[in-house]
Amino acid sequence: MNMNRRSALRTLMVVTAGVTLLPSCVQRPRKAAVAYKHLQLNGEEEDMLAAMAAIIIPTTTTPGAKETGAHRFALTMIDDCCSAKDQEQFQDGLHKFQVMVKEKDGSAFGKCTPAQQQQWVAALNDGKSLPHNVDAFYHMLKRYTIEGFTGSQYFLTKVRVYELVPSRFHGCIAVNKVSPSIDN
Amino acid sequence: MSNSKQANTFDAIVIGAGMSGGWAAKELCDKGYKTLLLERGRNVQHLKDYPTTNMYPWEFRHHGEVPAEIQAANPSISRCYAYREDAMHFFVKDTEHPYVQDKPFDWIRGYQVGGKSIMWARQTQRWSDYDFEGPQRDGFAVDWPIRYKDLAPWYSYVEKFVGISGNKDGIPNLPDGEFLPPWELTCVEDYFKGVVAKNYENRHVIYARCAHLTKPQDIHKEQGRNQCQGRSLCQRGCPFGGYFNSNSTTIPWAQKTGNLTLQPFSVVHSIIYDEHKGKAGGVRVIDANTKAVTEYYAPVIFLNAGALNTNLILMHSTSSRFPDGLGNENGLLGKHVAFHNYRARISGTHDGFKEFTTDGRRPTSAYVPRFRNVFKQETDFLRGYAASFYSGRFPQRDTSGFGEALKQQLGNATLGPWYVSSQMMGETIPKESNTVSLHAQQKDEWGIPLLRINIDYDDNDEKMIRDFFEQFKDMFGKAGFANIETYDSKQAPGLDIHEMGGVRMGHDPKTSLLNKWIQLHACKNVFITDGACMTSTSTQNPSLTYMALTARAVDYAVSEMKKGNL
């Protein structure tokens, strides 16, 4: 076996080892909990969106986005009911936002402190000097999180009551005679 | 007669189990006739087949919205206001039953027992002689062979059975009927009514009459229906039977007589013309699932397939006597199709009545009967328009910010100002150039030619839209409404869901296809009492008139059968 062959073999072994070792060095992204038709999300991104939704509508002494599943509703709507163009904007904005977070805080959104996470949502909500599509991404998430929350069973039975069978119509009634908790 | 022929022979056949077909079947069965009711779609039984009727908003995966992919694949049906997640299963998707649009036409269909009567908007205004005399006075279409007096008793007959909520308003061009109590108008509707009465002659704002049981009578209790609970979820089918549809009312009534054979999944290929007898002998039917062909026979046939499909069936019913379609001796079949012009809307806000609001829900609105060109011609366009008038206050939510503040805001909706809006409902002039016809090559999966639709607006319609905007801006202005905005949806014909004509009634077989009893001039045992028979369109919603025309036609058909004339 000449040296050339030996070194070539070594190189090959190193390369092979590199190929086989690579997956254990770089973590394979965790799969999303939900199978989406159009959106490409991994488990981390799902968690990030859930955390953002929980900051937009937090859990207090009463349920928030988390307990009402508003973030899941938001992703269902973006996946099923938004146009392909909106979905692309959402996806692109989401990616750019992740890059922003990494660049500034040196870690993923999920690894940021609660205070940092709050600051990020505040910055998005503020909407000043955000990269292209990040604003659109945030507002899609916010809009559908709000829809999910205000359309949830909790909200429509405990906050503003939706009546399936109102059994009445008053065409002209004093505002103070109508229950403020009823959503006509 | 062979056994199978005997088994397939009835006293009457009704094609189509929708609004008017349900009435034909009910009337025939009530009079003791063994009736076969054919429906191309599936059966929908009252209560049992309303899968979404008791669902809460959060139980819908998309809270009511139709997914984008379905909308993209089905653009026409997706434009229909009622095509939402809660009722989409009652509508035909574009992809399921294609048709050919020579010009844009949104054909809104419901292929099932009950047809579109399940999802209709339930508006039931009578027509008057200002409608029936219109073509003759204004020189378009042909003279209607009937007048209001011919139909008035049948309006009453139908209204008592259906249950119509309304006020007696004493308006000559919108005759009063047999009414159950109305719901209330809102403060702003009442106010607008006063403004209009004070400032204009012959303009009225009234409560829109609708097919709801505000106070069920014995006949309605006998039907098993109950008082309307104001859910305003009617398009799902009503668990109370609070509004009229064929499924809750006419069809079960016909079934109770023991005379009805209801046969879903029956696609009508054609009406068979019996050359020996010189009249229609029966109906050729394709099983929607197996594609097997069966013939059914009866001495009288009611064709109620829905206006455009009725045209299609006649055009496809060819024989050596009628090579261009049954009863089509003058070449006018499929021509003079018309519709309602629903393009124009106006909205605004009202600053008054801040201390008042509405409570509960109401499945109707106010109504402005036609006031243009009623008693005499007064504009540069023919005919006129009616309009809805709606008012209400919507909760307003501050969605700015995030966190606890946002959460608090969402729970504390405040009432917005009174919002007001009107939609125009314009009469259109039937024209020979507005047609439906059979496509020469393309066929559906049952081998039946696709329908080609070639229907458009004209200059009269454009002028009418401009006038609606002018007049309503003036009326809204006099009421002091603010933020007035006008909107022309430019929607294609069809979305009004009031397509009519193609087989019009008239005195003269040379210029019409149906006589005053709504029999084909040239084939007297075929009656056509759906939208296809209409000579002109009026401004009023047509379903009540179809029902009254149907009851009257069955009464006549039965008397003729008894005399041996059919």
Side-chain angles (χ1 to χ4, degrees):
Chain A
M1 197 183 280
N2 64 38
M3 284 302 288
N4 275 351
R5 191 155 174 247
R6 201 167 282 175
S7 78
L9 262 181
R10 193 177 296 131
T11 312
L12 187 67
M13 278 170 68
V14 168
V15 170
T16 313
V19 169
T20 50
L21 281 176
L22 201 59
S24 57
C25 294
V26 178
Q27 237 175 358
R28 192 192 293 264
R30 190 160 39 85
K31 267 191 159 178
V34 176
Y36 300 98
K37 289 192 201 97
H38 305 101
L39 293 180
Q40 312 244 329
L41 298 176
N42 59 41
E44 251 177 53
E45 288 164 338
E46 252 181 351
D47 289 350
M48 179 184 88
L49 295 168
M52 289 172 73
I55 292 169
I56 294 168
I57 303 173
T59 308
T60 53
T61 51
T62 59
K66 187 174 173 212
E67 293 75 14
T68 56
H71 59 293
R72 281 194 300 276
F73 174 79
L75 293 182
T76 299
M77 291 302 283
I78 296 165
D79 195 39
D80 289 352
C81 295
C82 285
S83 66
K85 191 175 155 253
D86 285 348
Q87 287 165 352
E88 275 164 35
Q89 279 192 326
F90 181 82
Q91 203 82 52
D92 184 54
L94 165 68
H95 174 70
K96 285 184 177 144
F97 176 62
Q98 286 173 302
V99 172
M100 269 171 78
V101 175
K102 193 105 186 178
E103 277 174 3
K104 183 145 182 288
D105 286 352
S107 65
F109 187 86
K111 300 259 164 65
C112 293
T113 65
Q116 283 172 320
Q117 292 184 344
Q118 285 278 340
Q119 279 165 12
W120 277 116
V121 173
L124 291 176
N125 204 75
D126 196 35
K128 279 189 197 122
S129 55
L130 293 174
H132 185 59
N133 285 341
V134 172
D135 195 50
F137 149 71
Y138 173 72
H139 280 101
M140 256 186 267
L141 177 68
K142 180 178 168 182
R143 176 194 153 190
Y144 286 117
T145 299
I146 290 174
E147 266 190 46
F149 179 68
T150 56
S152 69
Q153 180 168 9
Y154 158 72
F155 193 90
L156 291 176
T157 55
K158 298 289 194 297
V159 185
R160 303 271 305 175
V161 177
Y162 172 83
E163 297 173 294
L164 195 61
V165 186
S167 306
R168 67 182 186 288
F169 179 76
H170 301 295
C172 194
I173 188 166
V175 171
N176 59 20
K177 294 243 171 73
V178 180
S179 166
S181 65
I182 286 184
D183 214 352
N184 284 313
Chain B
M1 195 186 269
S2 73
N3 274 344
S4 76
K5 183 154 188 181
Q6 213 157 12
N8 288 350
T9 299
F10 295 84
D11 296 333
I13 298 173
V14 178
I15 301 170
M19 184 73 75
S20 64
W23 263 96
K26 181 244 168 206
E27 290 299 295
L28 286 159
C29 289
D30 258 351
K31 290 174 200 282
Y33 287 76
K34 296 285 179 195
T35 303
L36 174 65
L37 177 56
L38 297 168
E39 166 54 46
R40 70 169 300 153
R42 67 191 168 101
N43 195 7
V44 171
Q45 288 184 54
H46 181 52
L47 306 180
K48 183 175 159 281
D49 294 321
Y50 301 154
T52 59
T53 190
N54 286 319
M55 282 171 67
Y56 282 89
W58 60 84
E59 295 180 285
F60 292 96
R61 184 171 162 82
H62 306 100
H63 291 186
E65 217 168 296
V66 176
E69 271 178 10
I70 297 176
Q71 292 198 41
N74 302 279
S76 280
I77 191 62
S78 296
R79 282 189 277 269
C80 174
Y81 70 99
Y83 189 69
R84 305 263 303 150
E85 201 172 24
D86 64 342
M88 57 192 289
H89 49 284
F90 289 136
F91 290 91
V92 170
K93 288 193 177 87
D94 306 6
T95 47
E96 290 170 332
H97 295 281
Y99 58 100
V100 180
Q101 300 178 52
D102 287 344
K103 289 175 185 154
F105 187 93
D106 293 327
W107 192 11
I108 309 303
R109 295 162 289 173
Y111 288 175
Q112 64 241 328
V113 170
K116 298 191 293 291
S117 78
I118 300 174
M119 316 83 86
W120 69 314
R122 312 164 309 281
Q123 290 292 305
T124 44
Q125 327 302 328
R126 285 189 182 197
W127 291 26
S128 77
D129 273 338
Y130 296 96
D131 304 302
F132 293 114
E133 289 177 356
Q136 190 188 43
R137 190 194 80 180
D138 293 346
F140 66 95
V142 290
D143 186 25
W144 277 86
I146 58 166
R147 289 294 181 264
Y148 179 67
K149 66 173 169 30
D150 298 310
L151 214 48
W154 295 102
Y155 273 132
S156 290
Y157 178 79
V158 162
E159 284 166 344
K160 283 182 198 158
F161 194 78
V162 166
I164 306 291
S165 158
N167 268 318
K168 290 201 185 286
D169 300 295
I171 298 168
N173 50 314
L174 202 81
D176 291 330
E178 313 290 333
F179 294 144
L180 306 175
W183 270 282
E184 291 178 4
L185 293 180
T186 70
C187 327
V188 173
E189 288 158 6
D190 217 33
Y191 161 73
F192 187 54
K193 177 187 177 129
V195 170
V196 169
K198 201 176 117 199
N199 288 283
Y200 304 88
E201 213 181 319
N202 298 321
R203 293 193 191 186
H204 310 274
V205 178
I206 64 166
Y207 167 84
R209 302 150 185 181
C210 58
H212 285 264
L213 297 184
T214 48
K215 192 178 175 195
Q217 304 297 298
D218 288 343
I219 185 74
H220 309 122
K221 290 172 190 158
E222 201 181 331
Q223 295 161 1
R225 296 168 61 204
N226 299 292
Q227 185 161 344
C228 171
Q229 302 296 315
R231 297 183 350 137
S232 294
L233 300 171
C234 316
Q235 68 280 358
R236 302 178 182 182
C238 182
F240 300 97
Y243 75 94
F244 171 87
N245 64 18
S246 307
N247 315 65
S248 65
T249 313
T250 46
I251 291 171
W253 187 275
Q255 279 169 324
K256 265 194 291 186
T257 64
N259 293 325
L260 184 74
T261 302
L262 173 63
Q263 193 174 295
F265 297 119
S266 299
V267 179
V268 170
H269 172 279
S270 55
I271 294 172
I272 303 159
Y273 185 71
D274 187 327
E275 311 267 353
H276 299 291
K277 291 183 183 159
K279 59 185 182 182
V283 177
R284 190 167 294 129
V285 171
I286 304 171
D287 185 300
N289 300 312
T290 67
K291 313 277 183 349
V293 177
T294 313
E295 292 184 352
Y296 298 92
Y297 310 95
V300 64
I301 294 163
F302 272 74
L303 178 51
N304 302 79
L308 300 191
N309 273 322
T310 283
N311 276 271
L312 185 153
I313 289 171
L314 287 178
M315 288 188 273
H316 200 234
S317 302
T318 54
S319 54
S320 54
R321 167 81 173 81
F322 295 110
D324 300 320
L326 186 65
N328 185 19
E329 291 185 305
N330 51 27
L332 292 178
L333 175 61
K335 296 177 177 172
H336 302 100
V337 178
F339 55 96
H340 278 157
N341 179 354
Y342 271 37
R343 269 170 43 188
R345 249 177 271 161
I346 182 166
S347 65
T349 58
H350 185 56
D351 285 339
F353 301 102
K354 279 209 166 69
E355 61 278 30
F356 295 97
T357 186
T358 60
D359 182 35
R361 295 197 295 269
R362 174 189 62 169
T364 187
S365 68
Y367 184 87
V368 182
R370 174 180 154 212
F371 53 81
R372 274 309 206 194
N373 304 321
V374 175
F375 303 107
K376 61 178 196 312
Q377 181 64 34
E378 57 200 8
T379 66
D380 66 345
F381 58 87
L382 289 180
R383 314 308 294 160
Y385 46 82
S388 59
F389 180 72
Y390 166 85
S391 73
R393 298 180 77 175
F394 296 114
Q396 289 184 326
R397 284 193 180 123
D398 178 0
T399 57
S400 65
F402 71 98
E404 283 190 46
L406 172 62
K407 192 177 173 186
Q408 192 115 35
Q409 285 154 220
L410 295 176
N412 293 334
T414 54
L415 273 180
W418 285 91
Y419 168 83
V420 295
S421 73
S422 274
Q423 177 161 36
M424 163 183 169
M425 298 181 272
E427 179 164 355
T428 69
I429 306 297
K431 293 180 294 286
E432 194 165 358
S433 56
N434 275 348
T435 65
V436 292
S437 57
L438 301 184
H439 198 279
Q441 287 91 35
Q442 293 187 52
K443 293 183 175 179
D444 67 14
E445 66 171 286
W446 298 272
I448 293 171
L450 298 192
L451 195 67
R452 282 177 64 171
I453 304 180
N454 185 4
I455 294 171
D456 209 350
Y457 295 100
D458 63 17
D459 191 44
N460 199 66
D461 301 319
E462 302 295 337
K463 284 179 179 161
M464 201 184 281
I465 289 170
R466 287 197 288 274
D467 189 68
F468 169 83
F469 286 148
E470 273 170 34
Q471 296 308 311
F472 270 75
K473 269 196 262 183
D474 194 55
M475 288 154 74
F476 276 27
K478 288 207 165 63
F481 296 155
N483 302 308
I484 297 173
E485 283 177 36
T486 59
Y487 178 64
D488 179 353
S489 71
K490 306 272 184 189
Q491 68 187 42
L495 206 54
D496 44 291
I497 330 183
H498 288 171
E499 59 274 14
M500 290 177 243
V503 199
R504 70 184 180 191
M505 296 168 71
H507 302 283
D508 185 349
K510 289 197 191 70
T511 56
S512 62
L513 287 117
L514 295 162
N515 68 16
K516 66 175 174 178
W517 299 110
I518 335 187
Q519 300 166 282
L520 283 172
H521 286 300
C523 186
K524 294 259 181 335
N525 66 336
V526 174
F527 291 79
I528 296 173
T529 63
D530 62 12
C533 74
M534 305 302 271
T535 307
S536 66
T537 73
S538 170
T539 64
Q540 287 91 295
N541 311 59
S543 292
L544 179 72
T545 299
Y546 302 161
M547 293 193 262
L549 286 170
T550 303
R552 173 176 170 272
V554 172
D555 185 69
Y556 176 76
V558 164
S559 73
E560 286 295 282
M561 278 194 277
K562 282 184 180 152
K563 288 183 211 152
N565 291 345
L566 284 182

